[in-house]
Amino acid sequence: MYISILERQAKFGDALEILSGKLGSLLMIEVDKLRMQGRLLARAGDYTAAADIFHKILELCPDDWEGFLQYLGCLLEDDSIWCDEAVNDPVHPPKFVNCKVSHLTEEQFDSQMSIASACVQKLLADTVNNLIRCPYLATMEIERRKHLRGKRNDDDVMDGIVQYFCRFGHLGCFTSDVEMFVEVLAADQRTELLEKLMKARDTLSAPPTKALGLSMSFFKIKQLLLGDISTSSAGDLEASCVQMFEMYCTNLPLSKDLDPQEGTYGEELLSMICSILVQLFWRTKNVGYLVEAIMVLEFGLAIRRYVSQYKILLLHLYSHCGALSVAHEWYKSLDVKNILMESILHHILPQMLVSPLWTELNNLLKDYLKFMDDHFRESADLTFLAYRHRNYSKVIEFVQFKDRLQHSSQYLVAHVESSILQLKQSANNIEEEESFLEGMECGVHFLELSKEVGPKSLTFNEDLQSRPWWTPSSEKNYLLGPFEGISYYPKEILTKDREASLKRVVEKKCLLPRMIYLSIQSASVSIKEHEVNGSVTPDITSELKLLLERYAQFLGFSLTEAIEVVMGFYNEERSSVVSDSNLIDWLNFTVFLNAWSLSSNELVNPVGNGCRPRLWNIVDSLLEKYTLEKMRSIEPQLFSPWSGIELLIQLVTEPFAWHGLVIQSSLRSCFPSGKKKKKSGAASCSNLVHAITDSVVHLSHVLEDVMKWISEWMRKPEDENLENIFFLLRKPEDGPGKVFGMLEKFICSVNDAELGNRISPPLKSWTPADVARKMVSGKLKVLMEFSDICDSKLQFLHFMKQQIAQL
């Protein structure tokens, strides 16, 4: 710890003196002591002495890859590896080894490279019979550095990769090991490398398990080398899938004696098949490829239930198809606990936030927030415990870890969304809503939070490496856009743009609780006395106006400009600034604008449709227009785009719900409060009752239409739905179904003796029809939950009709 402090203070000489003295003798492990000494010498600028130390380390530990990189850094006088230690993100570690273009002269560079090569050749000679990867990786790294220097050594780079393939190609890590070396090759050289690897694979003689590993590595490196998938025809990609599936089935007997917890041989082949089938869907928009991908993964999970990679892929595929309840079940089967909630929850949370599965969403948010809050409480105890045991590095780790979690972007989102969910759930009962709002300080807490979000730095702790290629982050889904020949694994970089975008979304959502509270109050005081419960009406209207100005800024306008856009809606003008991506925000703004207009004299709000306030009319018209428009654009077919249905659900559960609260508050204010109303108040109440009556009738019709639309989905018999699914896979013409056809044949020919007691029974009980039923029931369950939400809103509208009749 003392040496670490000196190093942080850049007192490298003092630290080296202590290390070579009596205190240094307390370090009993020689290699650890040498590593410390080499690092201190390098950071002090004595690269020659440091290189000698790291050379000794490599002689003692020839498989120390980091030790070699430090040795090479000293030879080239490149301190990148030590500088990067301070800035590396532990959650998203760098994929490649950073290095600087050496400042050495050509002669010096060649001399140092010769020294490094001699060292590596000696390591290779000493470890020829050992499965040690470092010397072979070191050979490729030397050639990479030469290439970056400008040496035209492409053949040497390729030969190093081929040599590594012959020796370690059967290992699952082969592709990730060589990826950074492949990066330096041009397109024509990559094609040449692929041909060399193919020849090497065909000439190698290996036992079945190793041969399978080599073939899997070849498929993976082929995808990496070819890059742009648009260069491959659909037929070639389908043939590749068939070849991989055949290989998986042929080698399945190798796994018959493995423990259930152990991975089967060739397990990754099914993930690769799924990935290619999804690409084919993206290119052709033929949904049969998605169905085929789901079938393949479900087949794999029937063989072994513990493959988290399959479950994550299925989770995203079912989510894309709208079977969100099934996606949630697969998420639960991952058995995510403790800190994994922070890094894995992103796979399911964004979809759940815009779904009608409120019970499941509530449980997800509650469990996650409980873990985080418990951890914050317990982290101090853990820190002091580590301190008492003199484990000082752990003290620093605990403090940094807590700080990272406290700035978690996901924690911030979950905290806000948890309250908004409760507001949605209580929106049909204004007394419940007001009680909940009072419990959250009438939204003041979130208003303060929205001001704190801007300057706050956020951390993104999601394990993005576990996400499928088509959705590299929760904000992106390539399957929703056109196929444009993007590379096989589109590379997404976390940037400040992502942080800024998230902050804007959270800041905007933080305004909602207070705006809902003020809208209820504004509607309530609109025809009452100027003083209500000790607060003066102008205070409510002025604060609501300020929040409307802030909300308009998030839409990219001033308040005056945003009002003009809203008024344009009334004149049947479809503004170019409104799209599916911001429709909910514009409708929310219009609902709150209408509530403000009820108690404010600032906004000129002429009466339209008899005695009906014009803005109120606009809100009703917009909710009716966009709900029915969106509903009618979606055919009640099993594979209709789910993104449109998500927007429909948001329309009903957000702006529709907030407008319902304004209606309830206005209606409540029309009932006698014990004091005799003035004539002007009675006239105002009469106008409002007309507006409320028309709203209730309009919105009731809208909800009835939505429920009829949902009932069309439910009306189809199960057999017809299953037939439609299998029709996608059994069309006579080209397209999806080739892998599925092989899958069906394999299921029918399962041999107990070949596959053993562990694999054979679950395969015999598994049927594609069960998977198809799951796809159907998963989507229908979500729609039924949505129907229940619509029905509950319809019931409260009927109840308001009865109340209106009493006036």
Side-chain angles (χ1 to χ4, degrees):
M1 189 64 183
Y2 183 38
I3 289 171
S4 174
I5 291 168
L6 290 172
E7 187 178 354
R8 284 168 182 263
Q9 294 177 332
K11 296 177 180 177
F12 306 120
D14 293 346
L16 284 164
E17 192 177 327
I18 287 164
L19 196 61
S20 59
K22 289 183 179 179
L23 280 175
S25 65
L26 295 172
L27 293 168
M28 304 301 291
I29 301 172
E30 182 65 18
V31 172
D32 286 351
K33 187 175 177 180
L34 286 171
R35 285 196 184 102
M36 207 176 285
Q37 187 180 356
R39 187 175 70 246
L40 290 168
L41 285 167
R43 298 201 67 189
D46 191 348
Y47 289 113
T48 305
D52 291 340
I53 296 295
F54 285 117
H55 189 273
K56 284 182 188 175
I57 292 170
L58 287 170
E59 288 176 338
L60 293 169
C61 304
D63 204 24
D64 187 346
W65 171 234
E66 188 176 357
F68 173 76
L69 292 174
Q70 291 170 329
Y71 172 64
L72 193 59
C74 291
L75 288 176
L76 299 178
E77 299 181 11
D78 177 4
D79 62 352
S80 302
I81 194 165
W82 295 284
C83 293
D84 289 344
E85 282 178 358
V87 297
N88 279 351
D89 182 346
V91 177
H92 308 107
K95 202 166 187 180
F96 299 139
V97 176
N98 288 329
C99 61
K100 297 174 184 173
V101 176
S102 180
H103 61 277
L104 302 177
T105 64
E106 285 298 314
E107 188 179 343
Q108 289 173 325
F109 179 83
D110 291 341
S111 172
Q112 297 299 70
M113 286 287 99
S114 297
I115 294 170
S117 295
C119 172
V120 171
Q121 290 305 314
K122 187 174 185 306
L123 292 177
L124 285 169
D126 293 343
T127 61
V128 68
N129 295 319
N130 297 330
L131 280 176
I132 291 177
R133 289 152 57 210
C134 173
Y136 296 89
L137 288 169
T139 302
M140 291 186 285
E141 179 62 13
I142 288 170
E143 298 305 330
R144 186 177 83 99
R145 296 292 179 102
K146 288 179 183 176
H147 194 285
L148 293 174
R149 178 80 178 191
K151 312 276 186 186
R152 301 306 300 170
N153 60 333
D154 299 323
D155 289 339
D156 294 328
V157 174
M158 288 190 281
D159 289 345
I161 294 171
V162 171
Q163 187 182 16
Y164 194 76
F165 177 76
C166 293
R167 197 166 182 86
F168 303 106
H170 62 284
L171 299 178
C173 60
F174 168 77
T175 307
S176 57
D177 281 352
V178 302
E179 188 172 354
M180 70 174 177
F181 308 115
V182 168
E183 286 287 317
V184 301
L185 298 174
D188 56 339
Q189 291 149 0
R190 293 185 181 202
T191 306
E192 186 182 343
L193 174 60
L194 190 63
E195 290 171 0
K196 288 185 175 185
L197 289 171
M198 192 183 301
K199 286 179 185 174
R201 183 196 61 173
D202 294 340
T203 55
L204 285 172
S205 176
T209 52
K210 278 195 173 183
L212 176 62
L214 284 164
S215 295
M216 287 171 59
S217 292
F218 180 76
F219 280 124
K220 286 194 282 184
I221 197 72
K222 182 181 177 184
Q223 291 169 346
L224 177 68
L225 289 168
L226 292 179
D228 189 349
I229 60 170
S230 63
T231 57
S232 300
S233 68
D236 289 343
L237 292 174
E238 286 173 6
S240 182
C241 286
V242 168
Q243 190 181 354
M244 283 192 276
F245 189 77
E246 188 176 10
M247 188 182 296
Y248 176 83
C249 294
T250 304
N251 288 280
L252 198 52
L254 297 174
S255 306
K256 70 175 182 179
D257 296 323
L258 295 178
D259 186 89
Q261 299 285 348
E262 289 185 87
T264 56
Y265 292 110
E267 205 163 69
E268 207 171 347
L269 284 168
L270 299 189
S271 303
M272 292 158 67
I273 291 168
C274 167
S275 185
I276 294 174
L277 290 172
V278 174
Q279 289 174 36
L280 285 165
F281 161 73
W282 187 30
R283 288 174 66 162
T284 64
K285 297 305 172 194
N286 188 328
V287 78
Y289 288 115
L290 285 190
V291 176
E292 196 167 17
I294 289 171
M295 289 288 180
V296 167
L297 294 170
E298 289 273 10
F299 166 78
L301 283 165
I303 294 168
R304 196 170 85 88
R305 305 294 292 176
Y306 304 101
V307 192
S308 59
Q309 190 181 21
Y310 294 175
K311 293 177 181 181
I312 289 171
L313 289 169
L314 271 176
L315 184 162
H316 286 280
L317 288 174
Y318 278 124
S319 295
H320 186 77
C321 295
L324 199 54
S325 58
V326 185
H328 180 251
E329 288 301 316
W330 278 123
Y331 173 80
K332 286 199 300 183
S333 74
L334 288 168
D335 198 23
V336 177
K337 291 175 182 171
N338 300 325
I339 194 56
L340 281 177
M341 296 177 93
E342 171 68 0
S343 57
I344 300 295
L345 187 63
H346 64 97
H347 285 294
I348 192 70
L349 184 60
Q351 304 95 294
M352 295 293 285
L353 289 175
V354 290
S355 83
L357 303 177
W358 286 350
T359 303
E360 292 86 344
L361 173 59
N362 188 48
N363 291 335
L364 274 179
L365 291 169
K366 196 159 50 175
D367 291 346
Y368 170 69
L369 291 171
K370 182 181 184 302
F371 159 72
M372 294 291 276
D373 293 337
D374 287 349
H375 179 81
F376 293 145
R377 278 194 299 273
E378 294 164 5
S379 62
D381 294 334
L382 291 170
T383 305
F384 280 110
L385 183 65
Y387 188 82
R388 281 198 296 273
H389 284 79
R390 300 180 183 181
N391 195 339
Y392 303 118
S393 58
K394 280 292 175 193
V395 174
I396 295 170
E397 276 182 35
F398 283 138
V399 172
Q400 289 176 335
F401 187 59
K402 181 188 177 185
D403 183 62
R404 189 170 188 92
L405 289 187
Q406 283 180 322
H407 289 83
S408 162
S409 57
Q410 187 168 256
Y411 178 66
L412 180 64
V413 169
H415 181 56
V416 175
E417 291 287 359
S418 179
S419 295
I420 291 175
L421 174 62
Q422 288 178 283
L423 289 170
K424 289 179 185 177
Q425 289 174 310
S426 307
N428 293 348
N429 187 317
I430 193 167
E431 284 77 17
E432 278 185 29
E433 191 85 343
E434 286 177 321
S435 174
F436 178 67
L437 283 165
E438 284 172 18
M440 55 191 291
E441 303 173 45
C442 304
V444 172
H445 164 67
F446 283 101
L447 210 54
E448 292 168 353
L449 182 62
S450 73
K451 295 172 184 173
E452 296 169 9
V453 168
K456 186 177 183 179
S457 64
L458 298 179
T459 57
F460 293 86
N461 302 322
E462 308 105 308
D463 175 15
L464 296 179
Q465 295 298 319
S466 63
R467 293 185 71 89
W469 67 265
W470 64 86
T471 169
S473 66
S474 54
E475 301 89 1
K476 270 208 186 278
N477 186 345
Y478 289 116
L479 303 188
L480 297 177
F483 169 74
E484 294 170 346
I486 292 177
S487 61
Y488 181 79
Y489 292 112
K491 291 178 174 59
E492 290 297 315
I493 301 170
L494 286 175
T495 62
K496 284 290 176 187
D497 291 343
R498 188 183 182 207
E499 184 176 348
S501 174
L502 182 72
K503 282 182 178 180
R504 285 176 62 82
V505 171
V506 173
E507 282 182 72
K508 186 170 56 189
K509 293 212 169 190
C510 282
L511 300 181
L512 283 178
R514 185 64 179 169
M515 293 182 85
I516 290 167
Y517 171 78
L518 292 173
S519 294
I520 291 171
Q521 298 303 310
S522 180
S524 179
V525 302
S526 60
I527 61 168
K528 291 186 177 181
E529 306 293 334
H530 279 290
E531 194 161 314
V532 180
N533 297 330
S535 67
V536 180
T537 304
D539 291 343
I540 294 169
T541 55
S542 59
E543 185 182 356
L544 187 51
K545 181 186 177 184
L546 287 172
L547 294 181
L548 282 166
E549 286 173 348
R550 283 186 65 187
Y551 206 92
Q553 285 171 2
F554 287 116
L555 294 169
F557 294 90
S558 67
L559 179 58
T560 306
E561 291 168 338
I563 290 171
E564 286 176 8
V565 172
V566 170
M567 292 305 181
F569 281 134
Y570 184 71
N571 298 324
E572 301 282 330
E573 295 172 14
R574 178 67 187 254
S575 175
S576 59
V577 302
V578 181
S579 62
D580 282 0
S581 62
N582 62 14
L583 176 61
I584 301 300
D585 294 332
W586 273 107
L587 292 178
N588 283 342
F589 173 79
T590 310
V591 168
F592 300 137
L593 183 68
N594 174 52
W596 173 61
S597 72
L598 295 175
S599 61
S600 169
N601 294 321
E602 288 186 53
L603 187 64
V604 177
N605 190 15
V607 171
N609 285 3
C611 351
R612 199 164 176 218
R614 184 178 176 189
L615 258 175
W616 197 303
N617 183 17
I618 290 174
V619 173
D620 288 345
S621 298
L622 290 181
L623 289 174
E624 180 180 28
K625 170 185 166 64
Y626 285 109
T627 304
L628 297 180
E629 190 178 278
K630 183 52 63 179
M631 182 191 77
R632 287 164 184 160
S633 70
I634 305 167
E635 289 292 325
Q637 301 294 332
L638 193 60
F639 291 102
S640 295
W642 188 249
S643 55
I645 299 175
E646 281 182 338
L647 187 60
L648 184 61
I649 292 166
Q650 281 182 280
L651 278 164
V652 173
T653 57
E654 292 185 41
F656 205 110
W658 315 146
H659 187 46
L661 287 166
V662 172
I663 294 171
Q664 290 178 74
S665 179
S666 300
L667 181 60
R668 185 175 59 182
S669 68
C670 288
F671 281 91
S673 59
K675 293 182 182 180
K676 190 174 180 182
K677 291 189 185 289
K678 295 179 182 178
K679 286 186 179 179
S680 60
S684 177
C685 183
S686 174
N687 288 349
L688 207 54
V689 169
H690 280 293
I692 292 169
T693 305
D694 283 355
S695 269
V696 169
V697 171
H698 262 76
L699 300 182
S700 295
H701 287 324
V702 171
L703 289 173
E704 285 166 358
D705 284 347
V706 172
M707 290 176 70
K708 282 178 191 171
W709 176 78
I710 295 173
S711 69
E712 288 182 42
W713 292 77
M714 308 295 175
R715 198 174 296 134
K716 284 187 180 177
E718 184 185 85
D719 289 347
E720 185 182 336
N721 281 323
L722 297 188
E723 191 179 323
N724 289 338
I725 288 174
F726 288 117
F727 175 74
L728 294 169
L729 301 173
R730 292 171 178 156
K731 290 180 180 177
E733 65 268 18
D734 288 341
K738 293 179 179 61
V739 176
F740 179 71
M742 290 186 65
L743 186 154
E744 284 190 302
K745 285 178 187 174
F746 180 76
I747 290 293
C748 295
S749 61
V750 168
N751 186 308
D752 291 349
E754 276 188 7
L755 297 180
N757 295 328
R758 185 177 71 82
I759 296 175
S760 184
L763 272 186
K764 283 185 172 180
S765 62
W766 182 85
T767 64
D770 288 341
V771 178
R773 283 190 195 92
K774 192 191 291 188
M775 294 168 71
V776 174
S777 62
K779 190 161 191 171
L780 294 184
K781 183 184 176 183
V782 179
L783 289 166
M784 284 170 68
E785 291 286 344
F786 181 37
S787 180
D788 289 343
I789 290 170
C790 293
D791 186 52
S792 66
K793 293 195 179 300
L794 194 58
Q795 296 306 318
F796 105 80
L797 288 173
H798 289 330
F799 175 70
M800 278 201 286
K801 280 183 187 175
Q802 295 169 7
Q803 285 186 307
I804 293 168
Q806 296 172 20
L807 287 171

